[in-house]
Amino acid sequence: MKESVADILQHYNPEEKELILKAFNLADSAHEGQKRKTGEPYIVHPLAVAKTLAQLKMDSETIIASLLHDTLEDTSMKEEQIEREFGTNVAFLVSSVTKLREVDYHGEHGLAENFRKMLFATAKDIRVVIIKLADVLHNMKTLDALPAERKKRYAREVLEIYSPIADRLGIGWLKGELEDLAFPYVYPEEYKKIFSKVEKMVLENKQYTNFLKPLVQKYLKKEGVKVVSINARVKHLYSLWKKLDRLEGNIEKVYDIVALRIIVPDVQSCYAALGTIHKHWRPLPGRIKDYIALPKPNGYRSIHTTVFCEQSKITEFQIRDIQMHQEAELGIAAHWTYKEKVNPFKKNLAWIYQLKNWQMASDSKEFLESLRIDFFKNRIFVFTPKGDVIDLPEGATPVDFAYAIHSDLGDRCRMSKVNGKPTPISSPLKNNDIVEIIVDKNKNPSPDWLTFAKTSKARAKIRDSMRQRGLIK
Ligand code: MN
């Protein structure tokens, strides 16, 4: 066990090391004699959680809290003791993670309650949620030891809450891994089907990319493009299954089961590499995605392109620099400079504050519904006339856009112009639309806006205004 702690320690300075070791010893003796359902000594679990967090390069307080995360609930340890030994921050993290654990699943209601807790925890200190995600990851890896009914319930919660949150935080590998771990428990038949279908394809694709790699290397070198590494990345099974669903099962249309990922030193080299690829292989129209110029709402940056490649195979390339790669792997954790007291919440996490500031609907069904839309729907980017990006759920309208900017703009919104053309305020916006709102200062929100407004913010504000004018109670 001591050796495993050593793995974690190497990332931290001498004082931090000492505290981490102290936390480990404390947790080890607190859990003395307890066993996981797998039969292993309990300490294996907090240790695994701490390891994941060290991989994510989280700060030492997070590591200490993760080692202690199950002590309040499962041992005689008291919050005061943790506070005395490690300070208020660590005590807060441990008690918050403990509170998240208390919620059990009771159908829709329990799920909504869990969401609520997660969101508040996120808004208070994002580290609570990151610890929780690492906890869930290890639980998923050892899920087999649980009774069948609980396995399925837990796995479903992972798909509905935890993997979307990992995605929102931009921790791509964690999202993919959580989904693939949960997939066989929640959809056993579909999993088996897709697994047997894809196994052979993945193998063939890997052989093909092994052949392609040196060729790409040669071309890039000839053009003077500096390369850090080229690797094949295999698509996660769950996201493949989701994609197949959209393509009506037509696996021939999935071009990125195995993609070639080119890592280069800087942004210019990304575009230079793209140029080289397109010089040798014709791109498929409409398949070039420049997430560098237009990052995804969770901050993801890369260039994706799909080309007619060697052996007349259609092949996807993903091009990014080292920094972007780090961010794609670590997500929010890549921005984690807690020690320097830099606020990591900048614009990526604006959505959390949005949710926090927003009057939550008392009805948990409505709450869950609005979360599904605000949180999990595909997102679109639209622009203000000045070029500011507004991140909205798919299907959002100019009214949602107006409320996203300012509630006053929403309330007074009369007409909209989309890409310069007058457009009804009820018509759904598309990705990359430029939206302008024309206001009438005497205007009030009309009740029928509720028939098309999508975001919870817009809907809540429209209802507020109707209430104030006595239109509803
Ligand atoms: Mn745990």
PDB file of all heavy atoms in Angstrom, residues 308-331:
ATOM      1  N   PHE A 308     -10.641  11.804 -47.987  1.00  0.00           N
ATOM      2  CA  PHE A 308     -10.558  10.585 -48.793  1.00  0.00           C
ATOM      3  C   PHE A 308      -9.102  10.176 -48.790  1.00  0.00           C
ATOM      4  O   PHE A 308      -8.277  10.805 -49.428  1.00  0.00           O
ATOM      5  CB  PHE A 308     -11.031  10.858 -50.228  1.00  0.00           C
ATOM      6  CG  PHE A 308     -12.458  11.298 -50.315  1.00  0.00           C
ATOM      7  CD1 PHE A 308     -12.787  12.650 -50.413  1.00  0.00           C
ATOM      8  CD2 PHE A 308     -13.495  10.362 -50.305  1.00  0.00           C
ATOM      9  CE1 PHE A 308     -14.110  13.061 -50.494  1.00  0.00           C
ATOM     10  CE2 PHE A 308     -14.820  10.767 -50.389  1.00  0.00           C
ATOM     11  CZ  PHE A 308     -15.128  12.124 -50.485  1.00  0.00           C
ATOM     12  N   CYS A 309      -8.781   9.119 -48.072  1.00  0.00           N
ATOM     13  CA  CYS A 309      -7.388   8.847 -47.769  1.00  0.00           C
ATOM     14  C   CYS A 309      -6.847   7.647 -48.549  1.00  0.00           C
ATOM     15  O   CYS A 309      -7.438   7.226 -49.542  1.00  0.00           O
ATOM     16  CB  CYS A 309      -7.260   8.650 -46.259  1.00  0.00           C
ATOM     17  SG  CYS A 309      -5.636   9.036 -45.621  1.00  0.00           S
ATOM     18  N   GLU A 310      -5.722   7.121 -48.109  1.00  0.00           N
ATOM     19  CA  GLU A 310      -5.094   5.965 -48.761  1.00  0.00           C
ATOM     20  C   GLU A 310      -6.055   4.773 -48.817  1.00  0.00           C
ATOM     21  O   GLU A 310      -6.928   4.630 -47.979  1.00  0.00           O
ATOM     22  CB  GLU A 310      -3.838   5.543 -47.988  1.00  0.00           C
ATOM     23  CG  GLU A 310      -2.724   6.575 -47.979  1.00  0.00           C
ATOM     24  CD  GLU A 310      -2.223   6.926 -49.369  1.00  0.00           C
ATOM     25  OE1 GLU A 310      -1.789   6.014 -50.080  1.00  0.00           O
ATOM     26  OE2 GLU A 310      -2.288   8.123 -49.735  1.00  0.00           O
ATOM     27  N   GLN A 311      -5.840   3.896 -49.764  1.00  0.00           N
ATOM     28  CA  GLN A 311      -6.662   2.702 -49.967  1.00  0.00           C
ATOM     29  C   GLN A 311      -8.150   3.066 -50.053  1.00  0.00           C
ATOM     30  O   GLN A 311      -9.009   2.327 -49.603  1.00  0.00           O
ATOM     31  CB  GLN A 311      -6.443   1.687 -48.825  1.00  0.00           C
ATOM     32  CG  GLN A 311      -4.988   1.300 -48.666  1.00  0.00           C
ATOM     33  CD  GLN A 311      -4.742   0.441 -47.425  1.00  0.00           C
ATOM     34  OE1 GLN A 311      -5.653   0.166 -46.647  1.00  0.00           O
ATOM     35  NE2 GLN A 311      -3.509   0.014 -47.235  1.00  0.00           N
ATOM     36  N   SER A 312      -8.403   4.242 -50.605  1.00  0.00           N
ATOM     37  CA  SER A 312      -9.739   4.854 -50.686  1.00  0.00           C
ATOM     38  C   SER A 312     -10.559   4.689 -49.408  1.00  0.00           C
ATOM     39  O   SER A 312     -11.754   4.441 -49.437  1.00  0.00           O
ATOM     40  CB  SER A 312     -10.521   4.383 -51.911  1.00  0.00           C
ATOM     41  OG  SER A 312     -10.280   3.042 -52.201  1.00  0.00           O
ATOM     42  N   LYS A 313      -9.880   4.859 -48.284  1.00  0.00           N
ATOM     43  CA  LYS A 313     -10.589   4.833 -47.013  1.00  0.00           C
ATOM     44  C   LYS A 313     -10.870   6.268 -46.586  1.00  0.00           C
ATOM     45  O   LYS A 313     -10.059   7.159 -46.803  1.00  0.00           O
ATOM     46  CB  LYS A 313      -9.725   4.172 -45.942  1.00  0.00           C
ATOM     47  CG  LYS A 313      -9.912   2.676 -45.871  1.00  0.00           C
ATOM     48  CD  LYS A 313      -9.230   2.171 -44.612  1.00  0.00           C
ATOM     49  CE  LYS A 313      -9.292   0.664 -44.503  1.00  0.00           C
ATOM     50  NZ  LYS A 313     -10.475   0.174 -43.800  1.00  0.00           N
ATOM     51  N   ILE A 314     -12.007   6.450 -45.955  1.00  0.00           N
ATOM     52  CA  ILE A 314     -12.340   7.765 -45.422  1.00  0.00           C
ATOM     53  C   ILE A 314     -11.801   7.847 -43.994  1.00  0.00           C
ATOM     54  O   ILE A 314     -12.103   7.003 -43.177  1.00  0.00           O
ATOM     55  CB  ILE A 314     -13.857   8.002 -45.493  1.00  0.00           C
ATOM     56  CG1 ILE A 314     -14.248   8.105 -46.970  1.00  0.00           C
ATOM     57  CG2 ILE A 314     -14.248   9.255 -44.740  1.00  0.00           C
ATOM     58  CD1 ILE A 314     -15.724   8.212 -47.203  1.00  0.00           C
ATOM     59  N   THR A 315     -10.958   8.839 -43.744  1.00  0.00           N
ATOM     60  CA  THR A 315     -10.208   8.872 -42.485  1.00  0.00           C
ATOM     61  C   THR A 315     -10.332  10.222 -41.793  1.00  0.00           C
ATOM     62  O   THR A 315     -10.261  11.257 -42.442  1.00  0.00           O
ATOM     63  CB  THR A 315      -8.711   8.608 -42.776  1.00  0.00           C
ATOM     64  OG1 THR A 315      -8.613   7.429 -43.565  1.00  0.00           O
ATOM     65  CG2 THR A 315      -7.913   8.442 -41.497  1.00  0.00           C
ATOM     66  N   GLU A 316     -10.513  10.171 -40.486  1.00  0.00           N
ATOM     67  CA  GLU A 316     -10.569  11.433 -39.745  1.00  0.00           C
ATOM     68  C   GLU A 316      -9.215  11.745 -39.096  1.00  0.00           C
ATOM     69  O   GLU A 316      -8.556  10.872 -38.538  1.00  0.00           O
ATOM     70  CB  GLU A 316     -11.650  11.373 -38.653  1.00  0.00           C
ATOM     71  CG  GLU A 316     -11.676  12.688 -37.841  1.00  0.00           C
ATOM     72  CD  GLU A 316     -12.835  12.809 -36.871  1.00  0.00           C
ATOM     73  OE1 GLU A 316     -13.986  12.565 -37.274  1.00  0.00           O
ATOM     74  OE2 GLU A 316     -12.584  13.152 -35.705  1.00  0.00           O
ATOM     75  N   PHE A 317      -8.833  13.015 -39.185  1.00  0.00           N
ATOM     76  CA  PHE A 317      -7.648  13.511 -38.493  1.00  0.00           C
ATOM     77  C   PHE A 317      -8.068  14.526 -37.439  1.00  0.00           C
ATOM     78  O   PHE A 317      -8.988  15.311 -37.667  1.00  0.00           O
ATOM     79  CB  PHE A 317      -6.699  14.206 -39.485  1.00  0.00           C
ATOM     80  CG  PHE A 317      -5.975  13.257 -40.394  1.00  0.00           C
ATOM     81  CD1 PHE A 317      -6.564  12.838 -41.581  1.00  0.00           C
ATOM     82  CD2 PHE A 317      -4.719  12.773 -40.059  1.00  0.00           C
ATOM     83  CE1 PHE A 317      -5.910  11.953 -42.431  1.00  0.00           C
ATOM     84  CE2 PHE A 317      -4.046  11.888 -40.901  1.00  0.00           C
ATOM     85  CZ  PHE A 317      -4.643  11.479 -42.084  1.00  0.00           C
ATOM     86  N   GLN A 318      -7.402  14.482 -36.307  1.00  0.00           N
ATOM     87  CA  GLN A 318      -7.634  15.490 -35.267  1.00  0.00           C
ATOM     88  C   GLN A 318      -6.298  16.165 -34.988  1.00  0.00           C
ATOM     89  O   GLN A 318      -5.325  15.492 -34.675  1.00  0.00           O
ATOM     90  CB  GLN A 318      -8.164  14.845 -33.994  1.00  0.00           C
ATOM     91  CG  GLN A 318      -9.446  14.072 -34.237  1.00  0.00           C
ATOM     92  CD  GLN A 318      -9.973  13.405 -32.977  1.00  0.00           C
ATOM     93  OE1 GLN A 318      -9.283  13.328 -31.963  1.00  0.00           O
ATOM     94  NE2 GLN A 318     -11.196  12.934 -33.034  1.00  0.00           N
ATOM     95  N   ILE A 319      -6.256  17.461 -35.132  1.00  0.00           N
ATOM     96  CA  ILE A 319      -4.988  18.178 -35.013  1.00  0.00           C
ATOM     97  C   ILE A 319      -5.082  19.177 -33.857  1.00  0.00           C
ATOM     98  O   ILE A 319      -6.050  19.932 -33.771  1.00  0.00           O
ATOM     99  CB  ILE A 319      -4.678  18.940 -36.321  1.00  0.00           C
ATOM    100  CG1 ILE A 319      -4.767  17.976 -37.518  1.00  0.00           C
ATOM    101  CG2 ILE A 319      -3.296  19.577 -36.246  1.00  0.00           C
ATOM    102  CD1 ILE A 319      -4.888  18.679 -38.861  1.00  0.00           C
ATOM    103  N   ARG A 320      -4.125  19.166 -32.965  1.00  0.00           N
ATOM    104  CA  ARG A 320      -4.146  20.110 -31.849  1.00  0.00           C
ATOM    105  C   ARG A 320      -2.730  20.344 -31.333  1.00  0.00           C
ATOM    106  O   ARG A 320      -1.832  19.554 -31.632  1.00  0.00           O
ATOM    107  CB  ARG A 320      -5.023  19.560 -30.723  1.00  0.00           C
ATOM    108  CG  ARG A 320      -4.673  18.134 -30.339  1.00  0.00           C
ATOM    109  CD  ARG A 320      -5.453  17.662 -29.132  1.00  0.00           C
ATOM    110  NE  ARG A 320      -6.794  17.220 -29.444  1.00  0.00           N
ATOM    111  CZ  ARG A 320      -7.427  16.252 -28.764  1.00  0.00           C
ATOM    112  NH1 ARG A 320      -6.842  15.661 -27.744  1.00  0.00           N
ATOM    113  NH2 ARG A 320      -8.650  15.916 -29.083  1.00  0.00           N
ATOM    114  N   ASP A 321      -2.533  21.424 -30.592  1.00  0.00           N
ATOM    115  CA  ASP A 321      -1.202  21.627 -30.016  1.00  0.00           C
ATOM    116  C   ASP A 321      -1.150  21.042 -28.597  1.00  0.00           C
ATOM    117  O   ASP A 321      -2.159  20.517 -28.097  1.00  0.00           O
ATOM    118  CB  ASP A 321      -0.764  23.103 -30.096  1.00  0.00           C
ATOM    119  CG  ASP A 321      -1.509  24.009 -29.128  1.00  0.00           C
ATOM    120  OD1 ASP A 321      -2.169  23.494 -28.199  1.00  0.00           O
ATOM    121  OD2 ASP A 321      -1.431  25.240 -29.292  1.00  0.00           O
ATOM    122  N   ILE A 322       0.029  21.111 -27.983  1.00  0.00           N
ATOM    123  CA  ILE A 322       0.229  20.437 -26.697  1.00  0.00           C
ATOM    124  C   ILE A 322      -0.730  20.973 -25.631  1.00  0.00           C
ATOM    125  O   ILE A 322      -1.336  20.212 -24.886  1.00  0.00           O
ATOM    126  CB  ILE A 322       1.686  20.629 -26.213  1.00  0.00           C
ATOM    127  CG1 ILE A 322       2.648  20.101 -27.280  1.00  0.00           C
ATOM    128  CG2 ILE A 322       1.941  19.905 -24.900  1.00  0.00           C
ATOM    129  CD1 ILE A 322       4.087  20.522 -27.068  1.00  0.00           C
ATOM    130  N   GLN A 323      -0.832  22.305 -25.618  1.00  0.00           N
ATOM    131  CA  GLN A 323      -1.718  22.950 -24.653  1.00  0.00           C
ATOM    132  C   GLN A 323      -3.169  22.468 -24.821  1.00  0.00           C
ATOM    133  O   GLN A 323      -3.841  22.107 -23.859  1.00  0.00           O
ATOM    134  CB  GLN A 323      -1.623  24.466 -24.863  1.00  0.00           C
ATOM    135  CG  GLN A 323      -2.640  25.296 -24.106  1.00  0.00           C
ATOM    136  CD  GLN A 323      -2.204  25.542 -22.679  1.00  0.00           C
ATOM    137  OE1 GLN A 323      -1.000  25.496 -22.391  1.00  0.00           O
ATOM    138  NE2 GLN A 323      -3.140  25.793 -21.794  1.00  0.00           N
ATOM    139  N   MET A 324      -3.618  22.445 -26.060  1.00  0.00           N
ATOM    140  CA  MET A 324      -4.996  22.002 -26.327  1.00  0.00           C
ATOM    141  C   MET A 324      -5.181  20.546 -25.918  1.00  0.00           C
ATOM    142  O   MET A 324      -6.232  20.157 -25.417  1.00  0.00           O
ATOM    143  CB  MET A 324      -5.309  22.116 -27.824  1.00  0.00           C
ATOM    144  CG  MET A 324      -5.325  23.524 -28.345  1.00  0.00           C
ATOM    145  SD  MET A 324      -5.407  23.474 -30.149  1.00  0.00           S
ATOM    146  CE  MET A 324      -4.799  25.109 -30.516  1.00  0.00           C
ATOM    147  N   HIS A 325      -4.155  19.754 -26.148  1.00  0.00           N
ATOM    148  CA  HIS A 325      -4.237  18.337 -25.796  1.00  0.00           C
ATOM    149  C   HIS A 325      -4.369  18.171 -24.279  1.00  0.00           C
ATOM    150  O   HIS A 325      -5.215  17.431 -23.792  1.00  0.00           O
ATOM    151  CB  HIS A 325      -3.007  17.591 -26.315  1.00  0.00           C
ATOM    152  CG  HIS A 325      -3.091  16.110 -26.099  1.00  0.00           C
ATOM    153  ND1 HIS A 325      -4.132  15.354 -26.596  1.00  0.00           N
ATOM    154  CD2 HIS A 325      -2.295  15.252 -25.421  1.00  0.00           C
ATOM    155  CE1 HIS A 325      -3.961  14.095 -26.237  1.00  0.00           C
ATOM    156  NE2 HIS A 325      -2.861  14.005 -25.516  1.00  0.00           N
ATOM    157  N   GLN A 326      -3.540  18.901 -23.569  1.00  0.00           N
ATOM    158  CA  GLN A 326      -3.619  18.921 -22.098  1.00  0.00           C
ATOM    159  C   GLN A 326      -5.024  19.279 -21.646  1.00  0.00           C
ATOM    160  O   GLN A 326      -5.598  18.625 -20.788  1.00  0.00           O
ATOM    161  CB  GLN A 326      -2.684  20.021 -21.557  1.00  0.00           C
ATOM    162  CG  GLN A 326      -1.246  19.610 -21.453  1.00  0.00           C
ATOM    163  CD  GLN A 326      -0.938  19.135 -20.049  1.00  0.00           C
ATOM    164  OE1 GLN A 326      -1.550  19.583 -19.099  1.00  0.00           O
ATOM    165  NE2 GLN A 326      -0.031  18.187 -19.929  1.00  0.00           N
ATOM    166  N   GLU A 327      -5.549  20.340 -22.244  1.00  0.00           N
ATOM    167  CA  GLU A 327      -6.879  20.806 -21.848  1.00  0.00           C
ATOM    168  C   GLU A 327      -7.958  19.792 -22.178  1.00  0.00           C
ATOM    169  O   GLU A 327      -8.912  19.625 -21.429  1.00  0.00           O
ATOM    170  CB  GLU A 327      -7.194  22.147 -22.521  1.00  0.00           C
ATOM    171  CG  GLU A 327      -6.407  23.279 -21.907  1.00  0.00           C
ATOM    172  CD  GLU A 327      -6.623  24.603 -22.624  1.00  0.00           C
ATOM    173  OE1 GLU A 327      -7.514  24.680 -23.501  1.00  0.00           O
ATOM    174  OE2 GLU A 327      -5.887  25.547 -22.320  1.00  0.00           O
ATOM    175  N   ALA A 328      -7.788  19.111 -23.321  1.00  0.00           N
ATOM    176  CA  ALA A 328      -8.790  18.120 -23.707  1.00  0.00           C
ATOM    177  C   ALA A 328      -8.761  16.920 -22.756  1.00  0.00           C
ATOM    178  O   ALA A 328      -9.771  16.283 -22.503  1.00  0.00           O
ATOM    179  CB  ALA A 328      -8.564  17.652 -25.142  1.00  0.00           C
ATOM    180  N   GLU A 329      -7.589  16.622 -22.228  1.00  0.00           N
ATOM    181  CA  GLU A 329      -7.464  15.497 -21.302  1.00  0.00           C
ATOM    182  C   GLU A 329      -7.875  15.873 -19.886  1.00  0.00           C
ATOM    183  O   GLU A 329      -8.521  15.107 -19.187  1.00  0.00           O
ATOM    184  CB  GLU A 329      -6.018  14.978 -21.278  1.00  0.00           C
ATOM    185  CG  GLU A 329      -5.560  14.372 -22.589  1.00  0.00           C
ATOM    186  CD  GLU A 329      -6.352  13.122 -22.946  1.00  0.00           C
ATOM    187  OE1 GLU A 329      -6.374  12.191 -22.149  1.00  0.00           O
ATOM    188  OE2 GLU A 329      -6.964  13.105 -24.037  1.00  0.00           O
ATOM    189  N   LEU A 330      -7.457  17.054 -19.458  1.00  0.00           N
ATOM    190  CA  LEU A 330      -7.677  17.431 -18.059  1.00  0.00           C
ATOM    191  C   LEU A 330      -8.890  18.327 -17.863  1.00  0.00           C
ATOM    192  O   LEU A 330      -9.387  18.468 -16.755  1.00  0.00           O
ATOM    193  CB  LEU A 330      -6.440  18.157 -17.503  1.00  0.00           C
ATOM    194  CG  LEU A 330      -5.113  17.397 -17.567  1.00  0.00           C
ATOM    195  CD1 LEU A 330      -3.998  18.250 -17.005  1.00  0.00           C
ATOM    196  CD2 LEU A 330      -5.211  16.084 -16.802  1.00  0.00           C
ATOM    197  N   GLY A 331      -9.364  18.962 -18.927  1.00  0.00           N
ATOM    198  CA  GLY A 331     -10.522  19.845 -18.810  1.00  0.00           C
ATOM    199  C   GLY A 331     -10.268  20.969 -17.837  1.00  0.00           C
ATOM    200  O   GLY A 331      -9.197  21.563 -17.818  1.00  0.00           O
TER     201      GLY A 331
END
